[in-house]
C-alpha cells in the first residue's frame, strides 16, 4: 500500500487583481511513500524533533522555518542561529536519505492561467489534484492499494473539494477512471489538520 500526502503552497485564487506579485504561483505537491516506510519515517521524525527542539509536540511550518524570528512558536527561534540551523537541516537530510519516496507537483502561474479563463476560471486546486492523482496511480503496482491524505484548508474549500471528488470519482478524476480507483481501492481523500503528530 502506498500513501500520497498532498499539500499546497500559495493561494489558489486566479483573479488577476488579487494575485500576490511576490508569489504568483499556486503549487500542489504530493509525496508518495510505502505505508511501512512512512510508519518508520514518522517515528524517526518525531524523535528528531524531540532531539533537536526538546519536544515531539512541535509543528514545523516552512514559513516559520525560513523566518524563525517571526515564528509563533518560540522554540523555532533557535533556527536564527547558523550552527543550530545546520544541525537541524543536516539531521533532516540524513533522515530523508534513508527512505524512498516520490514527489509529484503541479504548478500554475496564476496570472497567465487566469487570463485564459477571465470569466469562469477552473478550480486550480482540483485541476492540480487531478494531475497529481494521475501520476500517483502510475506509481502504484498492479492492484496495489492506495490512500490519499490531504491537509485541510478551510471548511468551505474542504467541502467543495470533497464534493468535486465525489462527482468526479464516479467517472474519472483527470485521466484516472473510476475503474482505476476501484482497482487500487482508492476511496475518498482523508483530510487532516496540521498537527505535531502529522508527519
Amino acid at each position: 500500500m502506498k500513501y500520497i500526502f498532498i499539500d499546497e503552497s500559495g493561494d489558489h485564487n486566479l483573479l488577476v487583481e488579487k494575485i500576490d506579485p511576490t508569489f504568483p504561483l499556486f503549487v500542489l505537491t504530493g509525496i508518495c511513500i510505502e505505508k511501512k516506510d512512512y510508519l518508520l519515517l514518522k517515528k524517526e521524525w518525531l524523535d528528531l524533533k524531540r532531539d533537536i527542539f526538546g519536544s515531539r509536540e512541535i509543528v514545523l511550518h516552512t514559513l516559520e522555518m525560513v523566518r524563525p524570528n517571526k515564528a509563533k512558536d518560540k522554540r523555532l527561534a533557535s533556527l536564527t542561529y547558523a550552527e543550530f540551523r545546520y544541525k537541524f537541516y543536516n539531521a533532516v537530510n540524513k533522515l530523508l536519505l534513508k527512505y524512498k519516496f516520490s514527489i509529484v507537483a503541479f504548478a500554475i502561474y496564476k496570472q497567465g492561467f487566469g487570463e485564459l479563463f477571465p470569466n469562469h476560471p477552473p478550480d486550480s486546486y482540483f485541476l492540480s489534484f487531478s494531475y497529481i492523482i494521475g501520476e500517483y496511480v502510475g506509481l502504484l503496482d498492479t492492484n496495489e492499494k492506495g490512500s490519499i491524505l490531504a491537509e485541510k484548508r478551510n471548511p468551505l474549500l474542504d467541502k467543495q473539494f470533497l464534493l468535486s471528488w465525489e462527482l468526479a470519482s464516479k467517472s474519472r478524476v483527470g485521466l484516472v477512471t473510476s475503474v482505476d480507483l476501484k482497482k487500487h481501492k482508492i476511496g475518498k481523500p482523508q483530510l487532516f489538520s496540521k498537527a505535531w503528530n502529522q508527519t
Side-chain angles (χ1 to χ4, degrees):
M1 176 178 182
K2 285 190 183 83
Y3 289 139
I4 188 160
F5 294 93
I6 296 176
D7 196 7
E8 67 188 278
S9 180
D11 182 321
H12 68 278
N13 192 337
L14 293 175
L15 297 174
V16 176
E17 64 276 7
K18 292 191 176 183
I19 294 173
D20 177 357
T22 65
F23 194 78
L25 301 173
F26 174 78
V27 183
L28 197 66
T29 304
I31 306 293
C32 180
I33 187 168
E34 292 278 353
K35 179 181 178 180
K36 60 180 175 44
D37 288 337
Y38 168 70
L39 295 173
L40 293 169
L41 172 62
K42 181 176 181 176
K43 182 193 178 307
E44 286 197 64
W45 176 249
L46 294 173
D47 291 345
L48 182 147
K49 289 196 299 181
R50 181 200 59 218
D51 295 345
I52 301 282
F53 294 101
S55 173
R56 291 172 162 212
E57 297 181 12
I58 186 170
V59 179
L60 297 173
H61 299 269
T62 302
L63 188 61
E64 292 180 314
M65 289 165 52
V66 298
R67 295 185 186 134
N69 56 330
K70 295 184 177 183
K72 293 175 187 169
D73 190 325
K74 296 306 170 200
R75 292 174 290 185
L76 294 175
S78 300
L79 288 169
T80 58
Y81 301 105
E83 189 176 315
F84 185 90
R85 201 168 46 248
Y86 174 81
K87 177 183 172 185
F88 170 66
Y89 284 113
N90 193 44
V92 170
N93 289 338
K94 283 182 180 176
L95 174 60
L96 293 179
L97 284 171
K98 291 172 64 176
Y99 293 94
K100 183 180 175 190
F101 54 89
S102 300
I103 301 170
V104 182
F106 189 88
I108 295 173
Y109 173 63
K110 295 191 299 184
Q111 182 157 353
F113 191 75
E115 288 170 357
L116 293 174
F117 307 95
N119 298 321
H120 303 289
D123 178 346
S124 52
Y125 186 95
F126 201 77
L127 174 69
S128 305
F129 172 81
S130 298
Y131 169 81
I132 285 174
I133 293 310
E135 294 297 310
Y136 170 56
V137 168
L139 293 169
L140 296 172
D141 294 331
T142 306
N143 298 323
E144 181 179 19
K145 187 176 177 186
S147 185
I148 303 167
L149 300 100
E151 186 175 357
K152 287 182 178 179
R153 297 186 292 161
N154 71 43
L156 177 61
L157 293 175
D158 293 340
K159 187 174 182 179
Q160 288 173 344
F161 168 64
L162 291 175
L163 180 60
S164 295
W165 166 268
E166 188 177 318
L167 294 171
S169 65
K170 289 179 169 55
S171 57
R172 67 175 48 247
V173 179
L175 297 176
V176 179
T177 67
S178 59
V179 174
D180 293 322
L181 294 174
K182 286 177 186 160
K183 180 173 83 169
H184 294 291
K185 297 181 175 64
I186 298 173
K188 181 170 80 169
Q190 300 172 53
L191 302 183
F192 61 91
S193 298
K194 200 174 285 263
W196 68 270
N197 60 348
Q198 293 291 352
T199 305

